[in-house]
């Protein structure tokens, strides 16, 4: 792929990201993406074989930036590992208070494609969640937590559960509550590790 082709492809993905996130993948047509990108539908199909491929590219484009943001929030958090995990939720709650916030793009896309489990976007979303989980498990293992992989799954459940409930109620305090619960779980797991060693 040439630099010009990559740049044109990036324009399409950026246009798709705005529309898909704001309105949902089913509500947005290829025509709408092409129009937002300022090109013809034919040009778009030169770069993408199908709308499904464009949806997958949209989620792929969100993967690393989202994970990087979570790491940034974690690293910037004050205190111990539990406090840093809670900082992720606190920052997400702040983001969720923005009027244009629409929840987790990965979860929303998976809900829209629930009857298509083999869709490439579903695989990308699942891989994204697994990367978050693996990072948490590694972080907890380094901190000496009891059953770090189990703890990582619990944190992911709290995270994704809070995405869903905040989207329903439009009340970001649920995300802050989930953060407090996550911090408690981490503290218990670390305290259990201390008890094992004594």
């Amino acid at each position: 792929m040439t630099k010009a082709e990559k740049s044109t492809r990036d324009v399409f993905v950026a246009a798709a990201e705005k529309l898909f996130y704001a309105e949902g993948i089913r509500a947005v047509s290829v025509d709408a993406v092409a129009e937002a990108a300022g090109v013809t539908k034919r040009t778009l199909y030169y770069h993408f074989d199908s709308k499904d491929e464009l949806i997958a590219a949209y989620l792929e484009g969100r993967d690393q930036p989202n994970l990087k943001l979570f790491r940034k929030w974690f690293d910037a958090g004050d205190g111990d590992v539990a406090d840093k995990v809670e900082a992720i939720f606190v920052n997400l709650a702040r983001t969720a208070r923005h009027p244009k916030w629409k929840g987790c793009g990965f979860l929303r896309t998976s809900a829209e494609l629930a009857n298509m489990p083999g869709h490439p976007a579903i695989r990308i979303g699942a891989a994204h969640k697994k990367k978050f989980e693996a990072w948490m498990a590694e972080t907890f293992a380094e901190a000496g937590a009891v059953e770090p992989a189990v703890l990582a799954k619990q944190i992911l459940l709290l995270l994704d559960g809070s995405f869903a409930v905040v989207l329903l109620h439009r009340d970001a305090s649920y995300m802050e509550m989930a953060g407090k619960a996550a911090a408690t779980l981490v503290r218990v797991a670390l305290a259990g590790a201390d008890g094992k060693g004594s």
Side-chain angles (χ1 to χ4, degrees):
M1 188 183 293
T2 68
K3 193 172 181 183
E5 285 175 326
K6 187 177 190 309
S7 144
T8 305
R9 189 179 165 91
D10 290 344
V11 168
F12 289 133
V13 173
E17 179 174 3
K18 272 187 183 170
L19 291 170
F20 288 160
Y21 185 74
E23 300 171 32
I25 58 169
R26 293 215 186 268
V28 175
S29 67
V30 172
D31 288 311
V33 175
E35 187 181 329
V39 296
T40 64
K41 185 162 78 167
R42 185 175 173 183
T43 305
L44 191 148
Y45 277 124
Y46 173 77
H47 294 275
F48 297 93
D49 291 335
S50 64
K51 182 181 176 184
D52 287 339
E53 192 179 310
L54 183 59
I55 293 165
Y58 147 67
L59 284 188
E60 223 161 34
R62 293 181 75 94
D63 177 52
Q64 286 307 311
N66 280 17
L67 292 170
K68 192 175 175 184
L69 188 59
F70 289 150
R71 284 177 184 272
K72 180 182 165 189
W73 288 339
F74 179 88
D75 292 339
D78 293 327
D80 59 13
V81 175
D83 295 319
K84 287 176 176 292
V85 168
E86 185 175 354
I88 295 172
F89 289 81
V90 168
N91 281 285
L92 273 173
R94 191 187 70 240
T95 304
R97 288 186 170 94
H98 191 283
K100 289 187 178 176
W101 185 81
K102 304 276 186 178
C104 173
F106 296 95
L107 294 176
R108 286 180 58 218
T109 301
S110 70
E112 287 196 65
L113 299 172
N115 63 337
M116 301 172 71
H119 194 286
I122 295 286
R123 290 197 299 272
I124 290 165
H128 172 77
K129 297 297 180 180
K130 281 293 184 186
K131 285 176 197 171
F132 177 85
E133 190 181 316
W135 165 52
M136 285 281 98
E138 185 182 328
T139 301
F140 298 145
E142 285 170 6
V146 173
E147 297 188 284
V150 171
L151 181 58
K153 278 184 165 61
Q154 292 169 335
I155 301 307
L156 180 62
L157 284 167
L158 283 167
L159 185 75
D160 285 348
S162 70
F163 270 122
V165 176
V166 172
L167 199 56
L168 280 171
H169 295 298
R170 292 290 166 184
D171 180 355
S173 70
Y174 283 97
M175 207 162 258
E176 291 163 342
M177 286 291 108
K180 291 187 184 312
T184 299
L185 285 171
V186 174
R187 286 198 178 93
V188 167
L190 291 172
D194 289 344
K196 261 179 141 181
S198 57

